[in-house]
Amino acid sequence: MIDLAHIRNFSIVAHIDHGKSTLADRLIQETGTVLDRDMKEQMLDAMDIERERGITIKANTVRLEYTADNGETYILNLIDTPGHVDFAYEVSRSMRAVEGSLLVVDSTQGVEAQTLANVYHALDADHEIVPVFNKIDLPASDVSRVAEQVEDVIGIDASGAIAVSAKTGQGIHEVLESIVHHLPAPKGTRDAPLKAMLVDSWYDAYLGVIVLVRIMDGVLKKGERIKMMQNGSIHHVDRIGVFRPKMQPVDELGPGEIGFLTASIKQVRDTRVGDTITHEKKGCETPLPGFKPSVPVVFCGLFPVDSSEFEDLRDAIEKLALNDASFSYEMETSAALGFGFRCGFLGLLHLEVIRDRIEREYNIDLITTAPSVVYHIYMRDGTMRDLHNPADMPDLTHVDHIEEPRIKATILVPDEFLGDVLKLCQDRRGIQEELTYAGARAMVVYDLPLNEVVFDFYDRLKSVSKGYASFDYQMTGYRTDFLVKMQILVNDEPVDALSTMVHRDRADLRGRAMVEKLKDLIPRHMFKIPIQAAIGGKVIARETLSALRKDVTAKCYGGDATRKRKLLDKQKAGKKKMRQFGKVDIPQEAFISALKMDS
Ligand SMILES: Nc1nc2c(ncn2[C@@H]2O[C@H](COP(=O)(O)OP(=O)(O)OP(=O)(O)O)[C@@H](O)[C@H]2O)c(=O)[nH]1
């Protein structure tokens, strides 16, 4: 039995790359949770892909045991939260399971857009916050400037801030002491009926679904029968334990504790995040206030390049969906691409991660169609339908008006790039709402159509600001606008995978840019190929790809046989990555490249 006064539950909030994972590693190491020789960098980022991209996707948790300078031993439960905007929902969810946060700010960079977004989640959850200024080993570190920023921009007291280097370990001891002395102990009643929050869940091939819980009141033991309060389903608990960071069984989980349970649950979908778990008999009466469910906001089609791999793709998607309740999919057929899936994601990063995993872990080459947001189509008969795929756009004569999702975007950028950032937002149909300064940085808030952001906004923002701008957004609602479906025709055949919804005022520009790009991306054929952009029956842009008798080896004068061989092999490999539309081969990268807007 662990006494509540000796528990501290906390999370780390930070902008991406400010050192959250590195700090977590140091805390694990400093408390001896993992022996030094077993310590590999970034213990908490389990998946390869996370390691490679340096981002944390699945919220992870670890229990640390720390003997403080006052001689008392404390249990510190760290919940690692994802830092990226796509996973904002996971952040806000895990925040409710803990009482405090370490706010990590890179002292060479300062407060960024996701610092703000994440710290607001923490403040929403009534957290006590300890600011931690990281990377003080670097010459560019400026702790007093960052402290000023934290006070000015976020409005929290930075006098108790700790300067650390998660890299060298400097200041880590102070962080642990501050967790013990500045963060509140959890509250809860041992004798009350069981009330536990379902914080997260994921699928494990051996154990089935693993459920991360925070016990609010009561005690959970192995062998008990529990009830999920949302749907009343009953499960038999076959394992309980904690993460250190490996799984370690425990006898019970009491109030204030964070741990896991398994109960032969087959699918992550059967465990609703934010649900309240109680005992089947003598359970609690009222559930905890619920969480909002995460809804996919970006949709795109995934098709196998090699159509014989459709079943493999289905298998891969089903497996990934087992572990990710926020990823949705349904079968889709496209005239040009054959069989595939229409998939829904929380955002672009989520999309990229899933696509990468399918290509890498399941070895399937994919064609990804243009990402699209969900439009509300109001019909003349008074009904409304969601449009996930521009290809499904109903006949315009039946449509009354169309609404598109809007976001509130917060961008922090050094002064000198502000002009370019404003221009970018303006070009993307943005409406400026706020412009303020914090030192040499400007903070702008824009109301933007999500559609203009999902594709390459973030890349463009990074490039116009030389990487210095940071960005975060939240959905705000829907608004009517003059939106049309633009089709692309290659050799007079519509390529549905390239259909997009655009604002009418920008359609000509976009159409022109797309056909010009496609002209460069599609290889020449033996015949002339017209490439057109059209709205309804009206062509708004056109290019023609001239015919060519293709002899790729022609430039290999001198008859070097191995060079010729290599070129031919390369061409063959390239062929595999092409898709035939009527008589025309379109390379895979054309589907994405054509949509990128350079400026
Ligand atoms: N010099 C120096 N580098 C650091 C320090 N802490 C972290 N880094 C480096 O900064 C980079 C980002 O650190 P991470 O710990 O991966 O950052 P993160 O905030 O967890 O990033 P996400 O998981 O992507 O949100 C890595 O290359 C680290 O090695 C530090 O104290 N000093």
Side-chain angles (χ1 to χ4, degrees), residues 427-429 449-455 457 506 510 597:
D427 283 350
R428 299 297 171 97
R429 298 194 279 133
L450 178 62
N451 179 40
E452 300 285 343
V453 171
V454 287
F455 199 65
F457 181 82
R506 317 186 64 78
R510 289 284 295 275
M597 290 168 279

Side-chain angles (χ1 to χ4, degrees), residues 14-23 41-42 45 53-56 83 134-138 164-168:
H15 187 73
I16 199 156
D17 277 347
H18 280 198
K20 189 178 66 179
S21 310
T22 313
L23 177 66
E41 252 180 62
Q42 312 218 331
D45 288 359
R53 296 180 163 240
I55 48 167
T56 316
N134 190 28
K135 307 199 186 181
I136 55 165
D137 58 297
L138 295 174
V164 309
S165 165
K167 190 172 176 190
T168 66

Side-chain angles (χ1 to χ4, degrees), residues 144-206:
S144 54
R145 188 182 63 97
V146 174
E148 222 169 89
Q149 264 191 5
V150 164
E151 297 203 332
D152 288 355
V153 183
I154 306 176
I156 58 173
D157 179 15
S159 59
I162 304 165
V164 309
S165 165
K167 190 172 176 190
T168 66
Q170 189 185 348
I172 299 301
H173 179 77
E174 287 76 6
V175 173
L176 288 163
E177 286 294 315
S178 186
I179 292 170
V180 166
H181 297 295
H182 289 111
L183 301 188
K187 295 193 180 81
T189 314
R190 202 178 156 81
D191 303 327
L194 177 67
K195 189 182 253 186
M197 180 196 295
L198 199 161
V199 183
D200 198 0
S201 62
W202 60 95
Y203 181 79
D204 178 279
Y206 299 103

Side-chain angles (χ1 to χ4, degrees), residues 452-476:
E452 300 285 343
V453 171
V454 287
F455 199 65
D456 59 350
F457 181 82
Y458 193 59
D459 292 346
R460 297 288 312 148
L461 183 67
K462 283 285 171 193
S463 104
V464 302
S465 68
K466 304 220 159 45
Y468 285 111
S470 64
F471 164 71
D472 196 83
Y473 70 83
Q474 68 198 69
M475 296 268 292
T476 47

